Amino acid sequence: MQSSSIEVYIGAVTEDAARWWAAILAPGQGWKAIIAEDGSQMIPPWLICMPSTPKFVIRRTTTVGKASALLAPPSSNRAFEILEDFYRLHSVGSQFLAALAAAITLPAHRFWGRPTRLPMPAMHRTQQRPFNDFDPQYIKDLKDQIPHYLTVGGDFIGIISSLRGLFWEPRITCNLASAWLHPPNIEVPNLEDVKSVPGRFEETTVRICAIRRPEIAPLWLGAAITGLTPLIMREVKSGTPPLNRYAAAWFDSPQHFVESPTHESPAESSFIRRSDVWRLTHILNEDGGYPGAPLTPWEPFGKTRLQDTTLSVQIHQKCRDHRLTYVSWSWELDDGTCLIDKPPEALASLTSSSNIEEDISVAKKLPSVFRDSWPESDTASEQATSCIFQYVTVGGEGFPPSERDVYMHDWTGCRFADSDSEPDDGANSTPSLAASKVERLEGYCRDQEHVIDQTLLQS
């Protein structure tokens, strides 16, 4: 066998199973996978083309049963059984689920034009051993859930959006986005123990996800295996990552501040949080002037006078039931019937599952490796701040004269809204957002000790 080839031992299998293995491991396409739709031929999202190297050499001991005269691929149920036999043969344990998670992310690679980079397999010939990792009922339940996993994989935009949501934190405002994203984008990748070991950063990110968002940790594992991590990190770094908020209900993983409920204001308060103003504006949207939510997930900072808000916000600001709720999802079939999915009670209300207080209490017991350096670039904060404030100015509301200094700051991008005003000589200006950001960030990191868990970096 050539050194550039990999031997795949499949044991004692039927001729049909051996032919299936030969087809899926053949260079290029082992068979032409086509979906017929309205007279057109469509390529399925899971279609892949194998490279010419390395070559796979299939080894087997004996042939069981007779070969079928048909050259059609096996059904999905039969293919699952073939894979199950293979995993039992090699007793690969949890790699069975890791491979499934990786397969779910394959359509996302096709949509974003990203090549799939799988780790080189290390095969060894073995005898069949008991497959004790999962009981038969678990395997049966997993098999029954395959159609659901295929549906999730088909929502490749929702998958990527949910994976980006790992780095969103509901208590971080738009002008602090750069500082919050600094550790995962700059600090962690440049740690000596991380950058010196290929794949260590991806492994670290998966571990962080398992703590912060266990609901989507398997998807993060699949994305790390197939090589989607660089794409996700690049878009997260921008401060305005493309989002699909419907995916938040599907994956039970919030990713935008409008998904959180409004805050309860004191009865006699004359101020309201800007985040609640934006949230109510999006939910109420009585005149249809706001077709969607803000394009950045980071909430605006500070408060504003209640009298300066729209009438609809003033009417509803005392309500406690204004929040986004997942009602149902429907799928109309070709025969005219409709499938309707209703969420479990736990998914009905979209609230963050992240417990930052608990994260901090654990972090205080760990050695800190957070450097005393601020982000060199405020791009994420600037982009997020500009995007969130333009949501209301471009939407037609404008801004109150009492908040001119805030809206005329370079970061808000709203100077065009007051082009006739006199140049600002600085005498009446408020402290810059950048300066206030640094002061708040210093206190935030000093008081709450955001640190990198060095134990996550250990293999």
Side-chain angles (χ1 to χ4, degrees):
M1 185 175 61
Q2 300 178 0
S3 59
S4 60
S5 61
I6 299 175
E7 178 180 320
V8 180
Y9 177 64
I10 60 176
V13 297
T14 64
E15 186 66 30
D16 292 343
R19 190 165 56 202
W20 181 75
W21 277 111
I24 64 174
L25 296 179
Q29 295 178 243
W31 65 70
K32 191 175 183 180
I34 293 295
I35 298 177
E37 181 71 21
D38 296 332
S40 302
Q41 291 186 336
M42 305 177 65
I43 299 176
W46 279 272
L47 178 65
I48 61 173
C49 292
M50 296 290 289
S52 56
T53 58
K55 293 183 178 180
F56 292 92
V57 177
I58 297 176
R59 302 294 185 191
R60 55 178 172 168
T61 52
T62 58
T63 301
V64 180
K66 295 182 179 180
S68 171
L70 298 176
L71 296 180
S75 65
S76 59
N77 287 336
R78 176 57 183 148
F80 186 92
E81 293 172 357
I82 296 173
L83 289 174
E84 181 184 349
D85 292 340
F86 181 79
Y87 292 138
R88 289 183 182 278
L89 174 67
H90 292 276
S91 192
V92 296
S94 59
Q95 293 185 57
F96 181 64
L97 300 181
L100 175 59
I104 291 176
T105 67
L106 291 180
H109 284 267
R110 175 174 292 277
F111 181 80
W112 266 273
R114 302 283 298 187
T116 303
R117 304 187 185 281
L118 298 175
M120 190 68 68
M123 302 295 302
H124 64 277
R125 193 160 173 166
T126 181
Q127 299 296 323
Q128 186 162 351
R129 293 174 288 177
F131 190 66
N132 297 323
D133 298 78
F134 309 113
D135 59 47
Q137 184 59 43
Y138 181 89
I139 295 296
K140 181 181 181 302
D141 293 341
L142 180 64
K143 181 179 179 180
D144 294 339
Q145 293 295 324
I146 290 296
H148 298 277
Y149 293 134
L150 291 175
T151 304
V152 169
D155 184 20
F156 34 79
I157 297 178
I159 286 180
I160 298 296
S161 178
S162 297
L163 295 178
R164 297 189 195 106
L166 163 66
F167 301 97
W168 173 74
E169 173 58 47
R171 286 180 54 183
I172 302 300
T173 54
C174 56
N175 58 324
L176 297 177
S178 292
W180 176 258
L181 296 173
H182 182 70
N185 281 299
I186 305 298
E187 296 285 342
V188 174
N190 288 292
L191 289 173
E192 190 61 35
D193 291 342
V194 174
K195 66 181 180 180
S196 61
V197 181
R200 181 64 59 83
F201 174 69
E202 287 76 9
E203 177 187 348
T204 302
T205 307
V206 172
R207 291 171 181 262
I208 293 174
C209 183
I211 294 175
R212 283 184 53 81
R213 298 289 180 89
E215 300 86 354
I216 60 172
L219 287 177
W220 252 109
L221 176 60
I225 292 174
T226 59
L228 278 176
T229 305
L231 169 68
I232 299 169
M233 299 304 297
R234 185 181 70 242
E235 296 186 341
V236 165
K237 189 185 301 184
S238 69
T240 55
L243 298 172
N244 183 329
R245 291 187 300 104
Y246 297 106
W250 272 45
F251 298 101
D252 190 21
S253 181
Q255 51 188 280
H256 200 290
F257 79 92
V258 299
E259 297 163 6
S260 302
T262 55
H263 299 85
E264 184 175 355
S265 302
E268 303 301 324
S269 176
S270 59
F271 288 86
I272 182 175
R273 293 173 183 255
R274 284 196 181 94
S275 60
D276 286 339
V277 175
W278 271 244
R279 188 178 292 112
L280 288 172
T281 299
H282 168 62
I283 294 176
L284 299 173
N285 194 23
E286 294 177 349
D287 59 359
Y290 297 87
L295 298 180
T296 181
W298 310 102
E299 67 178 34
F301 53 83
K303 298 181 180 180
T304 188
R305 292 178 182 177
L306 185 59
Q307 67 181 26
D308 290 334
T309 62
T310 62
L311 182 60
S312 60
V313 170
Q314 296 180 40
I315 293 174
H316 293 277
Q317 61 95 15
K318 295 295 183 182
C319 302
R320 299 182 181 180
D321 58 349
H322 286 304
R323 64 176 64 189
L324 295 175
T325 302
Y326 176 44
V327 178
S328 65
W329 175 82
S330 60
W331 191 340
E332 186 175 346
L333 304 180
D334 290 338
D335 60 4
T337 60
C338 186
L339 300 178
I340 300 179
D341 171 72
K342 293 186 178 295
E345 184 177 352
L347 292 183
S349 178
L350 298 178
T351 57
S352 175
S353 59
S354 173
N355 190 335
I356 194 170
E357 287 80 7
E358 181 178 341
D359 292 344
I360 293 169
S361 65
V362 173
K364 287 182 177 180
K365 303 176 184 178
L366 302 172
S368 174
V369 297
F370 192 87
R371 299 186 177 92
D372 295 327
S373 61
W374 304 116
E376 295 181 1
S377 172
D378 281 320
T379 300
S381 293
E382 184 174 354
Q383 293 289 339
T385 302
S386 174
C387 188
I388 197 65
F389 277 88
Q390 289 188 41
Y391 177 69
V392 291
T393 56
V394 175
E397 297 295 341
F399 59 83
S402 60
E403 296 188 356
R404 176 182 179 280
D405 288 338
V406 173
Y407 281 84
M408 295 303 292
H409 189 277
D410 290 341
W411 280 16
T412 64
C414 301
R415 284 184 177 273
F416 67 89
D418 193 22
S419 58
D420 296 332
S421 58
E422 293 296 327
D424 190 357
D425 60 4
N428 299 318
S429 63
T430 57
S432 70
L433 294 181
S436 63
K437 179 187 77 67
V438 170
E439 293 174 1
R440 291 183 58 195
L441 182 58
E442 287 176 344
Y444 191 77
C445 293
R446 180 173 58 252
D447 297 339
Q448 303 193 23
E449 296 182 25
H450 274 91
V451 299
I452 306 298
D453 180 359
Q454 214 164 18
T455 61
L456 298 178
L457 309 180
Q458 299 175 358
S459 56

